[in-house]
């Protein structure tokens, strides 16, 4: 679902919680015939649905506003070049999707491989495009740690789009490594 160009996502978990509380309030009303269970329960259950919708819209609208800035400032890098010295810097990476997780929670994580290495790119809002394993994608985002204090480097994706062809590896990256010879004494 889109609102003003922002993709909104509701997790099935949120819907399950709302249904649980609606059933709970309805059962309480049927057991006691006290109308206050319905008068308070239905609006409170709906608030449990409105809060994730508002959060999804808020985060998604921030991504829409930030995307042009990140596209302008990002530097195209190979995944193997991403390291801890690049934390907080905008990057643009291309690769083939190897795994897609968390889509049903509206917090997708894509594992992408560009021929040099693989990296995880997470987004805190639903994807605008359907991405499957084997698709070529371009990700614009910021390099961050996987966890707040420790962990490996990943990309916090601001924009994800499918591309037809990947940018080929540079000559020095695609050339086989020279053979090392060791002299025996």
């Amino acid at each position: 679902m889109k609102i003003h160009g922002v993709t909104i996502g509701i997790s099935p978990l949120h819907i399950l919680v709302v249904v649980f509380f609606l059933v709970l309030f309805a059962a309480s009303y049927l057991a006691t015939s006290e109308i206050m269970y319905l008068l308070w329960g239905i609006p409170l259950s709906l608030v449990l649905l409105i809060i994730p919708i508002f959060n999804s819209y808020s985060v998604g609208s921030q991504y829409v506003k930030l995307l042009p800035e990140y596209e302008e400032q990002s530097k195209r890098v190979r995944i193997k070049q991403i390291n801890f010295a690049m934390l907080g810097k905008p990057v643009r990476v291309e690769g083939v999707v190897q795994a897609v997780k968390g889509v049903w929670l509206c917090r997708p994580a894509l594992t992408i491989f560009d021929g040099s290495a693989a990296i995880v790119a997470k987004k805190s809002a639903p994807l605008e495009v359907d991405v499957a394993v084997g698709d070529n994608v371009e990700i614009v985002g910021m390099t961050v740690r996987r966890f707040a204090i420790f962990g490996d480097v990943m990309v916090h994706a601001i924009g994800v789009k499918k591309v037809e062809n990947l940018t080929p590896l540079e000559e020095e990256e695609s050339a086989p490594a020279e053979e090392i010879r060791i002299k025996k004494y």
Side-chain angles (χ1 to χ4, degrees), residues 93-112:
V93 294
E94 289 182 346
V96 179
V97 177
Q98 290 185 325
V100 180
K101 296 178 181 177
V103 175
W104 67 278
L105 287 173
C106 302
R107 303 288 188 258
L110 306 173
T111 302
I112 61 169

Side-chain angles (χ1 to χ4, degrees), residues 120-160:
V120 174
K122 287 189 178 182
K123 189 169 182 187
S124 297
L127 293 172
E128 294 83 20
V129 294
D130 290 330
V131 177
V133 173
D135 288 346
N136 296 332
V137 294
E138 178 185 69
I139 296 179
V140 176
M142 179 188 296
T143 55
V144 295
R145 287 184 190 266
R146 184 181 297 258
F147 305 107
I149 298 172
F150 59 91
D152 52 348
V153 178
M154 64 174 241
V155 176
H156 182 93
I158 302 296
V160 176

Side-chain angles (χ1 to χ4, degrees), residues 56-76:
S56 181
Y57 178 78
S58 176
V59 171
S61 65
Q62 290 298 314
Y63 279 19
V64 169
K65 290 177 187 174
L66 287 173
L67 185 58
E69 181 181 334
Y70 271 80
E71 285 180 334
E72 180 183 320
Q73 294 179 1
S74 65
K75 177 182 152 190
R76 184 176 305 279

Side-chain angles (χ1 to χ4, degrees), residues 10-19 104-105:
I10 299 295
S11 166
L13 190 60
H14 290 120
I15 295 171
L16 185 65
V17 168
V18 170
V19 168
W104 67 278
L105 287 173

Side-chain angles (χ1 to χ4, degrees), residues 143-182:
T143 55
V144 295
R145 287 184 190 266
R146 184 181 297 258
F147 305 107
I149 298 172
F150 59 91
D152 52 348
V153 178
M154 64 174 241
V155 176
H156 182 93
I158 302 296
V160 176
K161 66 181 177 181
K162 288 184 181 181
V163 293
E164 288 295 320
N165 298 316
L166 298 175
T167 305
L169 291 170
E170 285 82 22
E171 300 253 342
E172 64 272 3
E173 291 180 0
S174 60
E178 290 184 24
E179 188 175 320
I180 299 174
R181 296 181 187 209
I182 301 173

Side-chain angles (χ1 to χ4, degrees), residues 14-118:
H14 290 120
I15 295 171
L16 185 65
V17 168
V18 170
V19 168
F20 171 77
F21 280 106
L22 283 173
V23 169
L24 185 68
F25 288 125
S28 297
Y29 168 72
L30 292 174
T32 63
S33 297
E34 184 64 39
I35 193 73
M36 292 308 284
Y37 283 115
L38 295 180
L39 292 177
W40 282 97
I42 292 173
L44 289 175
S45 296
L46 292 177
V47 166
L48 289 174
L49 188 61
I50 292 170
I51 290 172
I53 291 172
F54 177 76
N55 184 45
S56 181
Y57 178 78
S58 176
V59 171
S61 65
Q62 290 298 314
Y63 279 19
V64 169
K65 290 177 187 174
L66 287 173
L67 185 58
E69 181 181 334
Y70 271 80
E71 285 180 334
E72 180 183 320
Q73 294 179 1
S74 65
K75 177 182 152 190
R76 184 176 305 279
V77 296
R78 291 287 169 206
I79 294 173
K80 75 176 183 179
Q81 296 171 329
I82 297 175
N83 56 32
F84 290 107
M86 296 180 71
L87 289 176
K89 302 227 184 332
V91 294
R92 180 185 307 254
V93 294
E94 289 182 346
V96 179
V97 177
Q98 290 185 325
V100 180
K101 296 178 181 177
V103 175
W104 67 278
L105 287 173
C106 302
R107 303 288 188 258
L110 306 173
T111 302
I112 61 169
F113 178 74
D114 72 348
S116 65

